[in-house]
Structures are given as C-alpha cells and as structure tokens.
Amino acid sequence: SSLDTDGMTPELEKAGLLNKTKIAEGGRKLRKNWNPSWVVLVGNSLMFFKDPKTQNSDGWKPGNSCPESSVDLRGAQLQWANELSSKKNVFKLRTVTGNEFLLQADTDSVIREWYCTIQKVIDRLDKE
Ligand code: I3S
C-alpha cells in the first residue's frame, strides 16, 4: 500500500544511500557526474537529497533540506545497465519525460532490493 492510516500521507517505502548520476534530460544525453545521493522512495515518487548527513534514520521528511530532485515513477522504466558503466550493480531509471538516471551500489543485495522495490511501485501505478 502507498497510503498510511490517515489516507493522506504517502508511506515511506525505502530510503538509503546510492550513487547516482543523471545521464539524460528530456531525451538529451548529459555528461555523467556520479555523486552519493540519499534516495527516498515515498508514494509514487523517488526523491534525491543532496546531503545524507542532514537525514536521520527515524524520518524521511527533510526538515530543513529540500530534495535536490524528485522523479514521478508513473510510466517509468527500469532496467539493469551494467553495460553503461564500469561500475558494477548499476540500473537505469527512465521517466516518461525522458530523464534518465543511473543508480549504483557496491553491495549486490542492496541494489537488487532497490530495483525490486521501485519496480513494484511502477507495476502498481501501471495497474491504476
Ligand atoms: O560512460 P563514460 O563517459 O565512460 O563515463 C565516465 C565519465 O563520465 C567520467 O567522467 P569524465 O570523463 O567527465 O572525467 C566519470 O568520472 C566516470 O565515473 C564515468 O564512468 P563510469 O564507468 O564510472 O560510469
């Protein structure tokens, strides 16, 4: 489910630190710039926060920090993309608007969990 008991506040699905680079904006290729990002999956959105140190483990709400960017997962596509990087454990997320991100973690299980959790949200939205 994506809603909590009051039916209004989207539920936190997952949060954690991943390496991230945007590789396309509106279908236009961008130069890679890998950076660690605090990634938060809540409701239908994947949010990227710049400074992981400002986050704490008991809440996803940014408090004084705003997300660097936010991705609407409706209609998005996910695919493993190890051929797009020399790094291991890389997947690509493509939004309907043609923005493309690579997300990476050194630990296999970590990146697989992210892949599965994001895919479940995309599948749920596809059925709506
Ligand atoms: O796919 P690329 O172009 O080989 O990606 C690498 C480059 O973007 C590189 O930056 P500069 O060429 O601007 O210096 C990055 O430092 C690398 O991390 C990129 O490759 P990986 O394989 O790490 O995704």
Side-chain angles (χ1 to χ4, degrees):
S1 80
S2 65
L3 298 176
D4 68 8
T5 47
D6 71 13
M8 299 297 289
T9 309
E11 184 182 292
L12 172 66
E13 309 259 7
K14 195 168 175 58
L17 195 62
L18 293 176
N19 292 315
K20 184 200 81 169
T21 182
K22 195 174 188 178
I23 59 165
E25 166 88 43
R28 265 187 78 139
K29 201 170 178 289
L30 296 176
R31 186 165 187 174
K32 276 181 186 168
N33 181 23
W34 285 102
N35 281 118
S37 180
W38 183 257
V39 184
V40 176
L41 178 57
V42 63
N44 306 342
S45 298
L46 197 63
M47 297 186 290
F48 301 117
F49 291 84
K50 205 166 197 169
D51 184 7
K53 293 185 199 75
T54 66
Q55 303 302 316
N56 51 40
S57 56
D58 58 13
W60 61 270
K61 287 183 182 177
N64 46 21
S65 71
C66 283
E68 199 180 13
S69 60
S70 177
V71 167
D72 182 2
L73 292 174
R74 192 178 295 273
Q77 293 178 314
L78 210 54
Q79 61 186 90
W80 291 107
N82 287 315
E83 77 285 1
L84 295 182
S85 176
S86 61
K87 302 180 195 302
K88 62 173 187 170
N89 306 327
V90 177
F91 65 74
K92 183 172 82 173
L93 174 66
R94 187 186 192 282
T95 69
V96 281
T97 55
N99 294 343
E100 297 183 353
F101 301 86
L102 298 183
L103 293 170
Q104 188 267 344
D106 289 337
T107 308
D108 302 29
S109 56
V110 168
I111 202 70
R112 272 193 261 110
E113 277 180 28
W114 271 102
Y115 186 97
C116 290
T117 309
I118 295 171
Q119 189 61 61
K120 275 183 205 158
V121 172
I122 292 171
D123 290 345
R124 166 169 60 74
L125 292 169
D126 280 349
K127 289 187 199 111
E128 279 179 13

